[in-house]
Amino acid sequence: MLCLTFLLFSPTIQAQTPRPTYCNPLNLDYGYTPIPEFAAAGRHRATADPVITRYKGDYYLFSTNQWGYWWSPDLSSWKFISHSFLRPEHKVYDDLCAPAVFVLGDTLLVYGSTHNKDFPIWMSTNPKANKWKEAVHNFQIGAWDPAFFLDTDGKLYLYWGSSNELPLYGQQISRKTFQPIGEAKPLFGLNDQQFGWQRFGEYLDNTFLDPFMEGAWMTRYNGKYYLQYGAPGTEFSGYADGVQVADKPLGPFTPQPHNPFAYKPGGFARGAGHGNTFQDAWTNWWHVSTLVVSAKNNFERRLGLWPAGFDAEGTLYTNTTFGDYPHYLPTGPANHLKTQFTGWMLLNYQRPVRVSSTLGGYLPNYAVDENIKTYWSAATANPGEYLQTDLGSVSTVRAIQINYADQDAGYLGKKPGIYHQYQLLSSLDGKRWKVLVDKSRNRTDVPHDYIALPAPVKTRYLKLVNLHMPTGKFAISGLRVFGLGSGTKPLPVQGFVVLRTEKDKRSAWLKWAPDDKAYAYNIYTGLAPTKLYSCIMVHGANEYYFKGMDKDRPYYFTIEAINENGVSTRTPVALAR
């Protein structure tokens, strides 16, 4: 369950209205990959391709191969419901892979990816009670990465496709019989010669394969149709969602100038592709999408939630700035062009750590290096194994995120009844300790546990002590402490330049003077000085190779420095033609 608390502020902190917060990756009880060949390098948790749909006042979250789904009243606490969407004759591992989820009248409908024509569309009017039946026994379109869209005129459409050769397809579907109407229409494909972000690979160089296009999702806004898609590959930090816009549900489509619209290639939790765009109870827009781990397998992934929306000109955007730091959840209408970031900084990046033991090369500092792919592992899962982090000085701690890693996990698929137990201790001097968070009686599975403290705490040292692991060794990919340090913010970045050549305008080399007071930098880019909608967080470097541009458009850039005390002012906006 995503653990949310309401925040109380001490008299020494500026008073604010208490608001709930969350932190990516979402703290869901993710199942383990059910596919044995995907677990050859180690069994691990995995899901992707999420859809959140609001139905009868609650939110329902479906994603790949979880053997069930989650529901929430508030986007904060999530309850898992176990359910298989396969019939006995379906001998496949993919139980609801990359699902299509949509509401038709008073009914919630679900359909999973398949290339065959013998899979059902499922329906429910009471999904909270886990009551499902078939709406269609055999749906006659074998669609991978499907997405249904009900237009305001009552017409129903299906979009699908997952290929590095074929385009996305669309087709009208009868809302009474669910049979196809007319022929499937090819809509559009990728063009990586034009759009740099569509190139395949971690370094956007088309190594090994051509780029993939997948994960269709349709949103209608102000009479326009926004067909969204994931590219170029789910394994990579640059996995993103693009969008093309049309006046009709089946096109013709034109790429939105701002692309990709959901993009997070930097930071701890990377990737923002193959998801869906939805509205909350106050009509605020959100985008939920896939986060990349890809340590034990290409398809080791998690889920992230981002504020989204449409600007005054109808541009679809997703706000991923500080996207894996604590953010406020909605309590009413919000302007997502303005940050929902709490302002709580990361306090222990690359700070000294002490541990009870170490397994092989899974070194202690991997727990504080802001890389979700690397992790520290203790030699055992015994009670008493610990990880201690030093904040460097007495700081104000507001929240902690504990990201467990899968070392020697023993499960394939969803395992009910598993749980984590631990204690989190705090100390001013590293000698006298007190319990800050006690999860010794916890009975829930919390692989990315997030705890917003009920009141700010002054401390320097934190110690995470294992009591029980659900499986495998006690291993941590990120013990992340958030709040405010006791020093000063960094000064503005000096010497920021953007080098973009005539030879390949999809790419640029960004450089700046290093600042020993900063642990990271945010690079903002976009198509206008007031529309810098993309943000890239860079750790431990004073350069970045940005390869995600449309070769025919000018881009604008600015940068800010980050440390545990806050964020510098941004540099003047630079133009790269």
Side-chain angles (χ1 to χ4, degrees):
M1 295 180 68
L2 177 60
C3 179
L4 269 296
T5 60
F6 284 85
L7 311 175
L8 302 176
F9 295 85
S10 74
T12 60
I13 304 298
Q14 184 178 355
Q16 298 182 33
T17 303
R19 294 175 63 185
T21 62
Y22 74 101
C23 189
N24 289 317
L26 292 179
N27 184 31
L28 301 163
D29 50 339
Y30 301 97
Y32 296 78
T33 179
I35 306 173
E37 55 265 39
F38 284 10
R43 298 185 179 190
H44 57 273
R45 297 176 190 265
T47 196
D49 321 319
V51 177
I52 293 180
T53 298
R54 192 161 179 263
Y55 175 70
K56 293 185 176 179
D58 293 308
Y59 303 92
Y60 288 84
L61 168 57
F62 294 77
S63 64
T64 288
N65 289 341
Q66 294 302 287
W67 300 357
Y69 53 97
W70 294 270
W71 74 272
S72 171
D74 53 11
L75 290 178
S76 61
S77 59
W78 293 92
K79 178 178 176 58
F80 185 76
I81 296 177
S82 179
H83 188 93
S84 175
F85 291 89
L86 297 176
R87 294 198 299 260
E89 69 268 25
H90 295 142
K91 308 298 183 184
V92 297
Y93 288 116
D94 287 318
D95 189 327
L96 211 61
C97 180
V101 183
F102 65 108
V103 177
L104 193 61
D106 66 348
T107 305
L108 185 68
L109 296 104
V110 175
Y111 175 65
S113 294
T114 178
H115 292 300
N116 300 320
K117 298 182 179 182
D118 61 349
F119 275 60
I121 298 177
W122 298 90
M123 62 182 289
S124 177
T125 55
N126 194 358
K128 199 180 297 185
N130 201 14
K131 294 182 178 180
W132 295 87
K133 63 181 180 179
E134 292 184 356
V136 175
H137 185 65
N138 291 327
F139 184 51
Q140 290 303 298
I141 299 179
W144 204 269
D145 285 9
F148 285 93
F149 167 68
L150 182 65
D151 204 352
T152 54
D153 61 4
K155 292 181 180 179
L156 182 66
Y157 297 88
L158 176 68
Y159 303 90
W160 73 94
S162 178
S163 174
N164 64 347
E165 297 179 353
L166 302 175
L168 293 184
Y169 292 88
Q171 189 165 16
Q172 188 178 347
I173 305 294
S174 169
R175 61 178 294 172
K176 293 183 178 180
T177 66
F178 292 102
Q179 296 302 310
I181 297 174
E183 297 295 324
K185 182 179 180 181
L187 300 177
F188 56 84
L190 297 179
N191 180 3
D192 61 312
Q193 296 299 313
Q194 177 80 24
F195 306 110
W197 70 274
Q198 295 180 0
R199 288 175 282 185
F200 191 78
E202 183 66 20
Y203 304 104
L204 300 179
D205 53 11
N206 283 340
T207 296
F208 177 56
L209 288 175
D210 291 333
F212 278 80
M213 185 181 211
E214 54 198 1
W217 181 262
M218 175 62 83
T219 300
R220 176 172 171 153
Y221 179 78
N222 278 358
K224 299 286 186 180
Y225 297 86
Y226 294 75
L227 183 53
Q228 301 145 59
Y229 59 93
T234 192
E235 307 96 325
F236 308 119
S237 300
Y239 194 43
D241 276 341
V243 60
Q244 295 205 19
V245 186
D247 294 322
K248 298 178 181 179
L250 293 178
F253 288 91
T254 301
Q256 178 178 270
H258 168 57
N259 257 312
F261 79 92
Y263 192 49
K264 192 182 181 301
F268 176 74
R270 300 184 179 190
H274 194 149
N276 87 301
T277 303
F278 68 97
Q279 288 181 285
D280 64 21
W282 299 278
T283 69
N284 303 311
W285 290 98
W286 294 85
H287 192 70
V288 62
S289 60
T290 303
L291 297 176
V292 177
V293 180
S294 297
K296 290 182 167 62
N297 184 265
N298 289 357
F299 301 105
E300 183 181 2
R301 298 164 292 179
R302 300 290 192 272
L303 305 183
L305 180 66
W306 326 100
F310 297 85
D311 70 13
E313 286 73 41
T315 297
L316 174 60
Y317 66 88
T318 297
N319 192 339
T320 62
T321 303
F322 286 107
D324 47 36
Y325 283 37
H327 273 59
Y328 291 116
L329 274 168
T331 56
N335 178 2
H336 282 171
L337 281 172
K338 295 182 178 179
T339 184
Q340 304 302 306
F341 174 39
T342 58
W344 303 343
M345 310 309 297
L346 183 67
L347 300 178
N348 64 329
Y349 172 67
Q350 295 288 32
R351 293 292 188 182
V353 295
R354 297 181 65 181
V355 297
S356 52
S357 66
T358 298
L359 177 69
Y362 300 103
L363 302 178
N365 274 84
Y366 288 157
V368 293
D369 68 353
E370 283 296 276
N371 184 348
I372 201 171
K373 294 176 180 286
T374 62
Y375 58 89
W376 162 77
S377 178
T380 75
N382 295 340
E385 294 275 23
Y386 72 84
L387 169 68
Q388 177 181 318
T389 182
D390 178 357
L391 307 184
S393 63
V394 174
S395 303
T396 302
V397 175
R398 296 294 194 96
I400 302 97
Q401 186 189 47
I402 302 168
N403 298 275
Y404 287 90
D406 297 316
Q407 178 61 36
D408 298 329
Y411 301 138
L412 289 173
K414 193 76 176 183
K415 185 70 174 178
I418 63 176
Y419 58 94
H420 298 79
Q421 289 179 343
Y422 63 86
Q423 285 187 328
L424 191 66
L425 312 178
S426 67
S427 173
L428 288 169
D429 58 8
K431 298 176 182 179
R432 292 164 294 182
W433 297 88
K434 62 181 180 180
V435 176
L436 182 63
V437 177
D438 188 355
K439 293 286 186 85
S440 60
R441 297 183 179 180
N442 177 59
R443 302 294 296 185
T444 57
D445 186 19
V446 287
H448 297 278
D449 207 10
Y450 170 69
I451 309 100
L453 299 176
V457 171
K458 296 280 190 179
T459 191
R460 173 170 176 174
Y461 300 93
L462 291 169
K463 182 187 290 187
L464 175 65
V465 182
N466 178 57
L467 299 177
H468 175 82
M469 285 289 293
T471 183
K473 304 289 195 301
F474 179 50
I476 303 294
S477 66
L479 174 58
R480 309 175 73 219
V481 183
F482 297 100
L484 284 175
S486 56
T488 59
K489 299 177 182 180
L491 296 173
V493 174
Q494 300 296 309
F496 181 55
V497 294
V498 181
L499 307 174
R500 188 183 189 189
T501 71
E502 293 293 331
K503 185 176 181 180
D504 185 355
K505 289 204 167 189
R506 298 172 298 174
S507 304
W509 184 17
L510 284 64
K511 290 178 63 66
W512 57 94
D515 182 351
D516 60 3
K517 303 297 184 185
Y519 68 69
Y521 305 87
N522 274 337
I523 300 168
Y524 296 88
T525 183
L527 301 180
T530 58
K531 295 189 176 187
L532 304 178
Y533 293 158
S534 295
C535 180
I536 305 163
M537 182 178 280
V538 179
H539 287 85
N542 65 311
E543 63 179 1
Y544 184 76
Y545 293 91
F546 179 53
K547 303 174 72 174
M549 292 183 285
D550 177 342
K551 70 180 183 65
D552 292 334
R553 293 185 181 276
Y555 279 75
Y556 295 83
F557 295 86
T558 184
I559 190 171
E560 64 190 10
I562 303 164
N563 69 14
E564 64 275 12
N565 308 304
V567 183
S568 75
T569 57
R570 299 181 188 180
T571 60
V573 174
L575 170 62
R577 295 189 181 277

